[in-house]
Amino acid sequence: KVLVQTKKLTGIADVKNLTDHAHGLRLVIEVKSGFHPEALLEQLFRQTPLEESFGVNAVALVDGQPRTLGLRELLQVYRDHRIEVVRRRSSHRRGRAADRLHLVAGLLVALLGIDEVVQLIRSSDDAETARGRLVQVFDLSREQATYILDMPLRRLTRLSRLELERERDDLGERIRDLDGILADHDRLRALVSDELAQVAREHGTPRRTVLLESAGQPVSAREPLEVTDHPCLVLLSSAGLLARSGVAPRTTGGARARHDLVISAVRATARGQVGVLTSLGRVHRLVVLDLPALPDTAVAPHLQGGAPVTEFLALAPGEKVRCLTGLDQDGPGLVLGTATGVVKRVQPDHPSNKDTWEVVRLADDDTVVGAQEVGADETELCFVTSDAQLLHFDVSAVRAQGRAGGGVAGAKVSPQAHVVFFGALRPGDDAVVVTVAGSGAALPGTEPGTVKVTPFAEYPGKGRATGGVRCHRFLRDESVLQLAWAGQSPPLAAASSGAPVELPTTQGRRDGSGTPLEQPVVALGGPVRTEGPIV
């Protein structure tokens, strides 16, 4: 803490001491946003007692001579010692097994002529005479004869021939195995290796530190302490996850994954800021560096490694995030639409002394349904209502207003309906409209419903504040549009789990009915737009 207070160490947000008797020394150091943990760790090692170097006087007796050895030499000497120990142990065990096999062979000979052996021993005057007669009559060695004489008679008569033969075979197998170890140096080394591994398993303790390939190298020399202010792309998914990419991608092709339906994207820099527009018409300031960084991939960006937006922003009950926006005063500005059909173009006037501010004055029962930044290519504004009415008109029909403005009439909405989609798009051959119909009595995301994909060119444009044209014909038990989306192909859909949902092919009838879905859809979108200025 003294080093942090004196600013000799930078980049540390907090230090927690979690040391206890069960886990030993344990420190948790929280790194500030914008600093590389590896470079900070190198500073801690260099300026604190977390890492210490000390010398070792490695003097050992080798073949009776004192020698100073390095770590490699110490290990080699101990390895050679273990090899010699195992070799001598194997030789000793082989000798004992051979001696026992010799005695067992004598017992088998005696057991075959047990009556004659007993008679010979009883008729002898002393033990030495009996030993000599056993050697002469049964062709035994003195060791075998002595072992037979020393054995009580009751044991000699109860010996089992099968047990002796089994022991003889086991001893023979053991001797051959030991001979193989003594004759094969590679097998001897393998045995030593197995025994050392067994000792490590039984008596070893796990390391408390991790050995890294880069240990001992000056991390701070090749990597700066603070994160570079490089360009990146801030992404928002349909599941409410936020993340930033390391480098802003230029292509969005490739396979999809869970939670990869990106509903809003804005270019920024790693140490910059972006705005988050919510359904209450408020913009929240967000520091890009606080967001988790996604690894660079060759496929479409997805937010599996993202974090929920609620971890960064304090949203009101029922408040939902609609889009991301840049905070540059020279930016393109926002366009937004509300549930009652109000549209507003917001001048890029962002206060620098506030973290949250309003960009539209909403009625008590109104909310923002959709919003996005308007680029040079987006020339059409589109409304889709819950009673299957679509209206689009030129963006020039709406003049820009300040933050205090309440917008103008965008679409004429019937009393029982509301806007389900609002957005800006570029009209062309690749523009499509996706509509999902279902029952008005069902909760959103609980029934599959039907979906229809239609070319945007099939819908004629009308003036602002009109009712538009029909875009979906309801089937039986269908009464409302649950979801809608208009934009550039290919259209994407996601279930509540974030899993991709396949959409049908494009059909030509603008007022046709939909195709039944296999599972409920909760979000619609299109390819990630990565063009535009860095904010």
Side-chain angles (χ1 to χ4, degrees), residues 13 30 104 142 251 259 295 462 512 516:
E30 296 183 3
V104 170
R142 290 188 61 83
T251 60
H259 297 297
K462 289 193 174 184

Side-chain angles (χ1 to χ4, degrees), residues 251-255 295-301:
T251 60
T252 58
D296 297 334
T297 61
V299 297

Side-chain angles (χ1 to χ4, degrees), residues 431-466:
V432 295
V433 176
V434 183
T435 52
V436 179
S439 173
L443 294 176
T446 58
E447 65 174 15
T450 61
V451 62
K452 182 171 69 73
V453 182
T454 312
F456 182 77
E458 294 294 323
Y459 301 95
K462 289 193 174 184
R464 180 177 62 83
T466 59

Side-chain angles (χ1 to χ4, degrees), residues 11 61 108 120 173 366 398 499:
L61 288 176
L108 285 172
L120 187 148
E173 182 65 27
D366 204 2
V398 183

Side-chain angles (χ1 to χ4, degrees), residues 108 126 408:
L108 285 172
D126 50 31
V408 296

Side-chain angles (χ1 to χ4, degrees), residues 58-65 67-85 192 196:
V59 178
L61 288 176
V62 181
D63 298 330
Q65 299 294 327
R67 291 176 54 189
T68 301
L69 305 177
L71 179 60
R72 180 184 178 87
E73 294 173 325
L74 279 172
L75 295 176
Q76 289 176 341
V77 169
Y78 181 71
R79 179 203 60 192
D80 296 340
H81 166 70
R82 290 300 308 168
I83 292 176
E84 179 64 20
V85 167
V192 172
L196 291 177

Side-chain angles (χ1 to χ4, degrees), residues 303-322:
L303 274 73
Q304 286 179 314
V309 66
T310 53
E311 292 188 5
F312 311 102
L313 304 177
L315 301 179
E319 187 176 12
K320 298 180 180 180
V321 175
R322 295 307 184 198

